[in-house]
Amino acid sequence: MNFCLDESPLARTELTKDKMTQWIEGQRNIGKVDNIEVFGKATEKQLKELNDVRQLSKELQENLQDLENKVHSSEDNQAMNATAPILDYSEDHEFVSANQLDDYYAQEDLVDAKEAEKQRLTKGKAARTDIQRFYKDQCVFLTGGTGFLGKVLIEKLLRSCGDIDTLYVLVRPKRGKDPVRRLHDMLDEFLFHRAHEENPKGIHKVVPIVGDMEMPGIGLSDEDRKMLTSKVTIIINSAATVKFDEKLSIATGINVRGTKEVLKLAKECRNLKAITHVSTAFSNTHLPYIEEKFYEPPMSVEALEAVSQLDDNILENVLPTILGNRPNTYCFTKAIAEEAVRIYGEGLPISIVRPSIVVSTYDEPVRGWTDSVYGPTGLVVGIGTGVLRTMFLDVNKVADMVPVDLCVNAIIASAYHTAMKYKENQTSDIPIYNFVSGAQTPIRWGDFIEYNRRFGIQTPTMKAVWYYGLNPTNNYYLFLVYNFFLHYLPALFIDTFCALMGRRRAMLKFYKKLTKMANILFYFSTQDWRFNDDGVQNMWRSLSSADQTVFPFNIGDMSWEYMTETFLVGLRVYLIKDDLSTLPEAKKKWNRLFYLHQFVKTAALCLVIFLGYLLLKGLMWIVFGL
């Protein structure tokens, strides 16, 4: 044998060099080296521990073998009986039956299966649902497609109804942009990223149609009108001016006359299957309880069209008389638009969806998306940035709001449901759907504000100018006091400072706008209404489980805590344009604003006490001559 052990590290190490040399030499001479301990000799204690480990290992092996023999010894062994308890030798655990364990795993498997099926359905990898098959190869004409609700509606149709033939969108020129450019810019927005990923060819199905809801015949060219009447099978009329204080002439032109013209177009469509008109749950606010039915309009369609032709200055003077018990031109004209649907929609496969206040998305295509500052959204932004310090509202009244994605799903389902239920030559019973939250999952203004405070403090924004501090009240005179001391007085100080420094004064002007917006919402924040939504619930229950997964709109399943958290994050990211990456820095700023807020409060309190002392001292001097 040829040994190469001379190069071993053991042969070169001082500690083992001598013993290793002897061992190598013994190997070469085929001698015994049992008496040589290269690595040293084990102690008695180490040998005992080694023996104990070996014994324990042997016992464990024997126990394991015994257990396996018992398990496999008999098929009818009690331990293998499906109804027998599973033996558990731990004193810290209760006995669990096999049935209970099977139920647990069965439920877990069911949840996993449902989630997997949901992913397949929502991503278009499963069989088409009933609603998806209905929209397949259909030509949809949409008004209001560039608005907040309209954008989400287009996104959902492209993503979940990708088999539609064409989606015609009525667009008017605006701010120097032609309709084609406006539509293409809109489809490039973040909202549509998911739709582009899941249906890359969908963008080519969106076709702009030049028009204007205020113009006769909604501004369609003869060529476009002829094309639409020959191809369109579904119409969704969601166009409206949502400004509560819009001029009556403009609100009438868009909300009433525009609706009337869309219905005239619908009657010319040769292959029409369904129309959905989007109204509002607040079209009949003069009633405490609102059902899913038509109500007597405040004025006829023809009378309103005649009145709206008057000079705007004259209309402004007589507007309170015209509105009567309606709070604003929006609610007033939407009520008359429903009358237009009742009259001009007779004999058509038509339905009306009445959503309440529409806010950001609940879940799709992303949580919390919004680009609208109307309604509660603008107020929450003001609260979160610290500029809104008081509000005239009743914390015990219901804040009826609905997420825009759930509302869109209800609109899509309503067109399908209308087409399925429509009978030829039908002349009555136009279905109306009150899409509201108060009927099933009400939330009060006080709870909504508390959720906003809690989640707002957790996710502050870099755009904040002061710490959170809202003081709501349902006493109008107390609100005026709060408004002066918390809004106008600080604004006056800031504008004065800016004037002295040569900077632009903007705070007083800002608070005037804020107060104007708040005044519009006072009507809705100090009272509430009861709604009936049986039609919406029946429509939901009539859908297949697959359609309920792809087009969810059941308000009863909604969590307001989840929604409010979503709402706050969405406003921060999509409306204020403050990315979540700035959150650590924003929290530092928020803490600084907190201490500054406490300092100002303390200083204000000291000032009030001092002024009170001076006032009391003056009165004492006058009365007692002290």
Side-chain angles (χ1 to χ4, degrees):
M1 289 180 68
N2 181 25
F3 292 94
C4 299
L5 296 172
D6 303 75
E7 299 178 2
S8 171
L10 295 174
R12 298 195 301 270
T13 303
E14 290 295 329
L15 183 63
T16 59
K17 180 179 180 181
D18 294 339
K19 292 182 179 181
M20 193 65 187
T21 301
Q22 296 178 45
W23 188 86
I24 294 171
E25 188 65 29
Q27 289 292 323
R28 286 172 176 165
N29 298 327
I30 318 178
K32 294 185 178 180
V33 290
D34 292 345
N35 60 332
I36 300 175
E37 297 290 346
V38 178
F39 296 102
K41 187 175 182 180
T43 65
E44 290 294 329
K45 182 179 179 182
Q46 288 173 329
L47 290 173
K48 185 177 181 302
E49 289 176 350
L50 178 60
N51 186 59
D52 290 341
V53 170
R54 287 172 177 168
Q55 185 64 27
L56 179 60
S57 176
K58 181 179 179 182
E59 290 177 3
L60 288 173
Q61 289 291 336
E62 290 174 352
N63 289 339
L64 180 60
Q65 185 65 39
D66 184 53
L67 181 60
E68 290 178 351
N69 291 338
K70 287 181 180 180
V71 170
H72 297 291
S73 62
S74 175
E75 291 184 357
D76 59 348
N77 189 292
Q78 180 67 14
M80 293 299 293
N81 192 320
T83 61
I86 297 176
L87 298 179
D88 187 348
Y89 296 102
S90 171
E91 295 180 356
D92 299 328
H93 296 82
E94 297 180 357
F95 288 103
V96 181
S97 71
N99 280 342
Q100 288 175 313
L101 195 61
D102 287 345
D103 288 344
Y104 172 78
Y105 285 120
Q107 288 295 328
E108 201 172 53
D109 291 342
L110 183 61
V111 170
D112 291 342
K114 284 185 175 179
E115 183 60 30
E117 182 64 14
K118 179 181 178 181
Q119 291 295 323
R120 291 176 66 243
L121 284 166
T122 54
K123 293 187 177 182
K125 296 180 180 179
R128 294 291 183 261
T129 69
D130 294 336
I131 292 180
Q132 288 174 326
R133 285 195 294 270
F134 167 72
Y135 278 90
K136 185 177 184 296
D137 299 327
Q138 302 303 314
C139 292
V140 181
F141 177 55
L142 173 66
T143 68
T146 57
F148 170 51
L149 185 143
K151 290 179 181 179
V152 182
L153 185 51
I154 292 173
E155 193 278 337
K156 182 64 175 181
L157 286 172
L158 290 180
R159 181 164 48 86
S160 297
C161 299
D163 292 332
I164 61 173
D165 182 276
T166 312
L167 178 55
Y168 297 107
V169 182
L170 187 72
V171 189
R172 63 185 173 90
K174 187 178 181 181
R175 295 173 185 172
K177 286 186 179 181
D178 63 85
V180 176
R181 177 66 183 276
R182 281 190 67 196
L183 192 62
H184 285 176
D185 288 350
M186 184 188 79
L187 293 173
D188 284 336
E189 294 178 9
F190 175 78
L191 173 70
F192 295 91
H193 285 191
R194 182 178 167 187
H196 294 330
E197 290 177 1
E198 297 182 16
N199 183 18
K201 297 180 180 179
I203 189 173
H204 303 295
K205 297 184 178 184
V206 184
V207 178
I209 300 294
V210 179
D212 191 330
M213 290 292 286
E214 285 190 83
M215 297 177 64
I218 58 174
L220 296 176
S221 66
D222 292 339
E223 183 180 350
D224 284 341
R225 191 177 190 91
K226 184 178 179 180
M227 182 270 297
L228 291 174
T229 56
S230 65
K231 292 186 176 182
V232 167
T233 56
I234 300 170
I235 296 177
I236 300 176
N237 179 38
S238 66
T241 172
V242 295
K243 286 181 64 177
F244 285 173
D245 59 344
E246 185 65 89
K247 291 181 179 179
L248 184 61
S249 57
I250 297 176
T252 299
I254 298 174
N255 296 347
V256 181
R257 191 181 303 112
T259 297
K260 179 180 172 182
E261 293 294 338
V262 169
L263 294 173
K264 287 183 177 179
L265 175 70
K267 288 197 171 182
E268 298 176 22
C269 293
R270 296 190 286 273
N271 303 303
L272 190 67
K273 292 185 177 181
I275 315 171
T276 292
H277 169 73
V278 182
S279 183
T280 174
F282 301 108
S283 57
N284 296 285
T285 53
H286 61 294
L287 301 171
Y289 179 62
I290 301 170
E291 299 179 74
E292 294 173 309
K293 66 178 186 180
F294 287 103
Y295 289 96
E296 189 69 25
M299 185 181 291
S300 70
V301 176
E302 292 73 21
L304 177 61
E305 287 183 308
V307 169
S308 64
Q309 300 301 316
L310 297 174
D311 183 82
D312 283 340
N313 292 327
I314 297 175
L315 282 175
E316 193 67 27
N317 292 328
V318 298
L319 187 60
T321 303
I322 294 174
L323 295 182
N325 51 15
R326 259 68 174 194
N328 50 56
T329 57
Y330 173 71
C331 295
F332 180 79
T333 54
K334 292 298 279 185
I336 299 175
E338 288 190 5
E339 177 68 2
V341 171
R342 188 184 69 83
I343 296 173
Y344 296 97
E346 186 176 356
L348 293 173
I350 189 169
S351 63
I352 296 176
V353 176
R354 291 175 177 162
S356 56
I357 302 172
V358 182
V359 292
S360 65
T361 59
Y362 186 75
D363 203 39
E364 289 187 311
V366 290
R367 287 182 62 187
W369 182 87
T370 184
D371 68 351
S372 171
V373 296
Y374 289 107
T377 302
L379 297 180
V380 173
V381 170
I383 295 169
T385 53
V387 296
L388 185 64
R389 316 298 299 173
T390 185
M391 181 68 187
F392 180 49
L393 59 79
D394 190 336
V395 294
N396 295 313
K397 299 299 183 182
V398 173
D400 208 303
M401 300 171 286
V402 292
V404 64
D405 52 333
L406 302 192
C407 181
V408 159
N409 289 333
I411 291 171
I412 292 173
S414 70
Y416 159 76
H417 198 258
T418 299
M420 295 300 104
K421 299 293 182 181
Y422 177 70
K423 299 176 182 177
E424 290 295 334
N425 301 318
Q426 181 176 325
T427 59
S428 60
D429 298 326
I430 295 175
I432 298 176
Y433 304 104
N434 287 339
F435 191 70
V436 296
S437 60
Q440 298 182 60
T441 315
I443 183 172
R444 303 191 182 280
W445 281 108
D447 296 328
F448 179 67
I449 290 172
E450 174 56 25
Y451 280 140
N452 277 279
R453 184 199 65 79
R454 186 200 310 172
F455 294 119
I457 289 175
Q458 293 175 8
T459 55
T461 171
M462 287 295 295
K463 305 293 180 67
V465 298
W466 201 255
Y467 190 74
Y468 174 92
L470 183 68
N471 299 276
T473 177
N474 61 351
N475 185 310
Y476 186 69
Y477 297 103
L478 183 58
F479 164 74
L480 293 178
V481 174
Y482 282 159
N483 195 42
F484 175 76
F485 284 102
L486 299 177
H487 286 168
Y488 281 100
L489 199 59
L492 181 62
F493 287 150
I494 293 172
D495 277 359
T496 301
F497 176 78
C498 289
L500 293 175
M501 298 297 294
R503 299 177 180 176
R504 186 172 68 91
R505 294 172 293 175
M507 289 306 295
L508 279 173
K509 185 177 180 181
F510 169 79
Y511 274 114
K512 285 180 180 178
K513 289 183 177 180
L514 189 65
T515 302
K516 183 180 179 181
M517 181 180 69
N519 284 335
I520 295 171
L521 294 175
F522 287 168
Y523 182 84
F524 301 95
S525 61
T526 55
Q527 55 185 318
D528 54 15
W529 296 265
R530 291 188 306 115
F531 293 96
N532 177 285
D533 70 342
D534 289 345
V536 173
Q537 294 190 50
N538 290 336
M539 180 169 63
W540 171 254
R541 286 191 290 265
S542 71
L543 299 182
S544 66
S545 60
D547 274 322
Q548 289 180 351
T549 299
V550 180
F551 303 98
F553 61 85
N554 186 25
I555 293 294
D557 295 335
M558 187 179 70
S559 164
W560 275 113
E561 188 169 359
Y562 177 90
M563 177 62 208
T564 312
E565 181 183 17
T566 295
F567 191 43
L568 265 293
V569 174
L571 294 184
R572 187 187 198 277
V573 176
Y574 303 116
L575 201 61
I576 304 178
K577 307 297 183 184
D578 189 5
D579 191 80
L580 287 176
S581 61
T582 66
L583 190 57
E585 187 62 30
K587 287 184 176 181
K588 293 179 183 178
K589 179 180 180 180
W590 196 245
N591 289 333
R592 292 195 297 269
L593 290 175
F594 169 77
Y595 291 115
L596 184 59
H597 178 63
Q598 299 304 322
F599 172 77
V600 171
K601 283 183 8 181
T602 303
L605 179 61
C606 293
L607 180 61
V608 170
I609 293 173
F610 178 69
L611 292 176
Y613 167 75
L614 293 179
L615 179 62
L616 181 61
K617 185 177 180 181
L619 290 174
M620 293 290 288
W621 184 83
I622 293 173
V623 176
F624 300 105
L626 298 178

